[in-house]
Amino acid sequence: MIAAVATLAAHAQNTYWVFLTDKAGTTFDPYAYFDARALERYAQCGADPADLSNHPVSAAYEQGVGALATEHVGSSRWLNAVGIVATPDQVAQIEALPYVRRVQLIASRATLAHIQNSTFEIQHSTPDTTLTDQLVRMQGHLFRQQGIDGSGMRIAVFDGGFPKVNTHEAFEHLRRAKRILKTWNFPDKKEDVYGWNGHGTMTLSCIAGRMNGKDLGLATGAEFLLARTEVEPEPFKEEIWWMQAMEWADRNGANIISSSLGYGKDRYYTKDMDGTSYVARAANMAARKGILVCSSAGNEGTDRSWKTIVTPSDADSVLCVGGTTHDLNRYMHIDFASYGPSADGRQKPNVCAFGHAWAANPHGKGGYQMVYGTSFSCPLVAGFAACAWQMNRDKTAMQMFDLIQRSADLYPYCDYAFGYGVPQASFFTQKSELKNHNSPTFRFERQSATRVSVIPLRTDTTLRFFYKDVATDGSITTYGQQDLSDATPGLSLDFDGGTHLVLHLNGYTADYTFDQPSAPTVDRWPQIGFEQSKGSYTYGYRARHTPALERPKETRWAYDAYFMFGRPIAIGDDELASNLWSPAWHIGTRISYHLTKAYSLGIGIGWAKTFYHFGDRDVNKLERLLNRPTDRFFNVGNVEVTRRRLSLGEWNFELFQRIRFQPGGLNHKGFHWDLGVYGSLGYTTYRIKGTIEGNGTIAAAREEILEGPTALDTYNFNFGLATRLTYHYYGIYARYRLNGIGSDVPADKVLLPRLEVGLQLMF
């Protein structure tokens, strides 16, 4: 059985990056390749457009690799790599090519972590202003007062499709001014992007859409490049398309990239969120070429096994955007938004914005709806960045990165829920760069070596402290919020593992250094809680580790229980060919180990019962071969048989491989295919029920255990192939018995069906 599964695995196809040794024989003219706006951007940031990273991949190398692969998906100049779909045998041939440096399995990181974008209709209207609340929160009216709308900026949006953007009223101003400059559909290799997943329509509207005279995004005057890089169901090729979209945006003069496509727990492990993924490296490279990359923090905030952000927002040069609730009066983290830091301990997210937002509806009759996800806080900040950059055209992308952080309303305070807070337009319109120089709003009062009271300097029932405890290595061990009221004139906090306490209140930030910091405590990561009765919002605890901060690794083991119900399929002139009711059921459990998040090997054990129903009236071949006429079963004459049934009970053992096509975490959820081999140990019984003719008396049922080999073509030990196709909890299965195949069934044997099909439930 192991050999059979190994053979199947050898022919499985996966997606790979093939990294090449050089770019020998290539020529490159940046002035013919790049848009004029791209060349201006390169000059502004001091990058060289003729850099080797921009040179094309060798056509000869690419052709040679593609000829050996099942599919040539595309190539990346920046990585000097070719994306392919291939079998392990083909990969071995490709690795032997003299110009191949190495081959990296993309499927080892599994499928795309699809950012949730569930939507719901709401009936109330937005405030009676020219801006929706999502823009008021960023002081967008101050941009509007100075005529700032992102004009002169070029924004590339990556997503799964843009249905109705070419017809929806929210984008009529963009179409009228011809500000959608270029589009490209990377999966289908064509210009049409106006279909497929409506997620892109919603994210674009949060950058530049309009709704009944109100702006949904701040960059209504910007120019746009729209790239479709995702498909449903999500294959491993998407990472290649995303890379190609980065280079396409660079070539066509993008100043800003807004990507709400995060890759997290369904593709990577927590430890991988350290800025080293290929999409993170590409995002950093785009920043070096003068592009400001905005990326969603992710929607894993409620998943206790994944307390970090997603990639590429883990890249150090990417503006990672978290989420807040859609409330102008309260400053709350929205529960689903991912928490920082990055896996290697860097501050993430960088800033935040509304995680609930108004957006254009790409479905049905169109209109507008409220949506939720950091998929929408990211484009809100991208639109803000376009306006801020319009006012500072002499700045580079990384200078704008810093200024946007400094503009946030909590700066210089930051934590792993909000980053530096929500960007504020007043920082740019009023040149209010002397933040945190306003009058103190609180003071510290020492209580002990590890306790300090925080006393507000004025009474205000809406006062809310943001606080964090910072360790010697700069990591945040504890952070949260605390409401104050007239009944709570002071705040007393006890920190047992930090170096100093940092607090923020109403624009003022100060810190208190403990002179006798406590020793590190046991690992308390993670704990997320809300103590409403105390007005306290504690977002996370994290113990310190030496020398580096590490997060728990997700287990690679997965367990599931199953119930299957089906029937044998009789083929040919056997005894069951005309019988439609021969049920089979299975119960059991399976254990699988994930070699990658897309591919795993597993074993299973279960119990099965199959009932083969023979014709009730006639003596069948089995009885004749067993020499068991009816009176031999009942020991009486004149018996009318009412049921003849052969029962097969089996203990099943299975070895299988699982290939996941669509994400659902490390457990059995998602869309996956199992293929394996099974062996079974069992026994058969033959049971007859009947009545005595003439008087209607019920004859006692009789059964006989049939020891193998018997008159059946199956024995106590059977083996065969098993396959299942499962979507979340539901699926279909098939089993095919192999023993005895290829040889004629002797005349003294009864042929039982080899094929069984049915439905499956997994738990």
Side-chain angles (χ1 to χ4, degrees), residues 475-608:
S475 64
I476 303 173
T477 58
T478 308
Y479 62 100
Q481 295 172 260
Q482 176 71 48
D483 284 343
L484 297 179
S485 65
D486 293 337
T488 311
L491 172 65
S492 180
L493 297 173
D494 185 8
F495 295 89
D496 60 358
T499 300
H500 64 275
L501 171 66
V502 181
L503 284 96
H504 176 92
L505 176 64
N506 286 9
Y508 177 73
T509 300
D511 67 303
Y512 182 91
T513 301
F514 295 98
D515 54 1
Q516 296 180 17
S518 302
T521 59
V522 296
D523 190 357
R524 299 181 296 173
W525 174 268
Q527 298 178 28
I528 305 297
F530 167 44
E531 298 179 78
Q532 187 172 13
S533 62
K534 299 180 181 179
S536 175
Y537 305 80
T538 302
Y539 290 118
Y541 299 93
R542 181 176 183 168
R544 298 194 304 281
H545 299 266
T546 303
L549 293 168
E550 296 180 357
R551 290 176 177 274
K553 298 179 181 179
E554 300 91 341
T555 177
R556 294 193 177 207
W557 292 97
Y559 309 86
D560 60 71
Y562 64 86
F563 173 76
M564 301 191 305
F565 183 80
R567 68 178 299 270
I569 303 297
I571 302 174
D573 297 328
D574 57 69
E575 293 284 332
L576 302 180
S578 61
N579 195 299
L580 297 178
W581 180 242
S582 292
W585 55 264
H586 303 251
I587 58 172
T589 185
R590 303 187 186 102
I591 304 173
S592 57
Y593 181 77
H594 295 261
L595 300 176
T596 72
K597 285 201 172 185
Y599 183 82
S600 55
L601 294 176
I603 59 174
I605 184 171
W607 170 254

Side-chain angles (χ1 to χ4, degrees), residues 539-745:
Y539 290 118
Y541 299 93
R542 181 176 183 168
R544 298 194 304 281
H545 299 266
T546 303
L549 293 168
E550 296 180 357
R551 290 176 177 274
K553 298 179 181 179
E554 300 91 341
T555 177
R556 294 193 177 207
W557 292 97
Y559 309 86
D560 60 71
Y562 64 86
F563 173 76
M564 301 191 305
F565 183 80
R567 68 178 299 270
I569 303 297
I571 302 174
D573 297 328
D574 57 69
E575 293 284 332
L576 302 180
S578 61
N579 195 299
L580 297 178
W581 180 242
S582 292
W585 55 264
H586 303 251
I587 58 172
T589 185
R590 303 187 186 102
I591 304 173
S592 57
Y593 181 77
H594 295 261
L595 300 176
T596 72
K597 285 201 172 185
Y599 183 82
S600 55
L601 294 176
I603 59 174
I605 184 171
W607 170 254
K609 195 81 171 181
T610 307
F611 302 99
Y612 299 94
H613 285 228
F614 290 76
D616 295 336
R617 299 296 180 182
D618 301 323
V619 174
N620 56 60
K621 180 179 180 181
L622 178 61
E623 293 179 22
R624 293 194 298 270
L625 293 174
L626 293 173
N627 192 25
R628 296 290 194 273
T630 302
D631 57 359
R632 289 282 301 276
F633 276 98
F634 293 97
N635 296 319
V636 295
N638 300 321
V639 174
E640 181 180 5
V641 175
T642 59
R643 172 175 292 181
R644 287 180 166 91
R645 186 178 72 187
L646 178 70
S647 301
L648 173 61
E650 299 174 284
W651 282 105
N652 288 304
F653 304 90
E654 183 183 7
L655 180 63
F656 63 92
Q657 60 175 348
R658 176 168 295 176
I659 301 173
R660 193 181 64 188
F661 300 111
Q662 200 170 5
L666 275 176
N667 56 22
H668 60 272
K669 295 181 182 179
F671 178 43
H672 64 259
W673 173 47
D674 291 349
L675 180 61
V677 292
Y678 74 89
S680 65
L681 293 172
Y683 65 91
T684 55
T685 60
Y686 188 62
R687 184 179 180 87
I688 294 181
K689 292 180 64 176
T691 60
I692 299 176
E693 294 182 356
N695 59 19
T697 302
I698 299 176
R702 293 289 185 267
E703 70 178 35
E704 181 170 336
I705 298 177
L706 306 180
E707 301 288 348
T710 65
L712 303 175
D713 76 322
T714 180
Y715 304 97
N716 290 348
F717 174 75
N718 295 297
F719 61 89
L721 298 175
T723 187
R724 294 174 292 276
L725 197 63
T726 305
Y727 182 73
H728 292 302
Y729 301 102
Y730 313 101
I732 56 176
Y733 78 93
R735 288 159 48 98
Y736 192 82
R737 180 166 53 88
L738 293 176
N739 51 301
I741 196 170
S743 59
D744 294 333
V745 178

Side-chain angles (χ1 to χ4, degrees), residues 96 111 123 171 184 186 193 233 290 334 400 419 459 504 535 568 572 658 690:
T111 57
Q123 303 301 321
F171 310 104
W184 192 253
F186 285 89
V193 298
I334 201 163
M400 289 306 304
T459 301
H504 176 92
R658 176 168 295 176

Side-chain angles (χ1 to χ4, degrees), residues 228-296:
R228 178 181 178 237
T229 64
E230 313 296 320
V231 301
E232 295 284 355
E234 298 154 336
F236 308 135
K237 305 172 188 176
E238 290 174 326
E239 196 164 303
I240 300 172
W241 296 327
W242 195 91
M243 284 290 305
Q244 291 180 312
M246 292 289 285
E247 297 174 19
W248 175 79
D250 172 47
R251 177 182 185 178
N252 288 292
N255 303 108
I256 298 170
I257 290 175
S258 178
S259 175
S260 293
L261 305 169
Y263 302 81
K265 63 184 179 181
D266 294 312
R267 180 183 290 269
Y268 291 94
Y269 296 98
T270 306
K271 62 183 177 61
D272 298 322
M273 301 294 96
D274 60 356
T276 60
S277 72
Y278 289 114
V279 290
R281 295 177 188 180
N284 279 338
M285 188 174 292
R288 292 196 296 271
K289 297 175 186 292
I291 302 175
L292 178 63
V293 182
C294 299
S295 182
S296 300

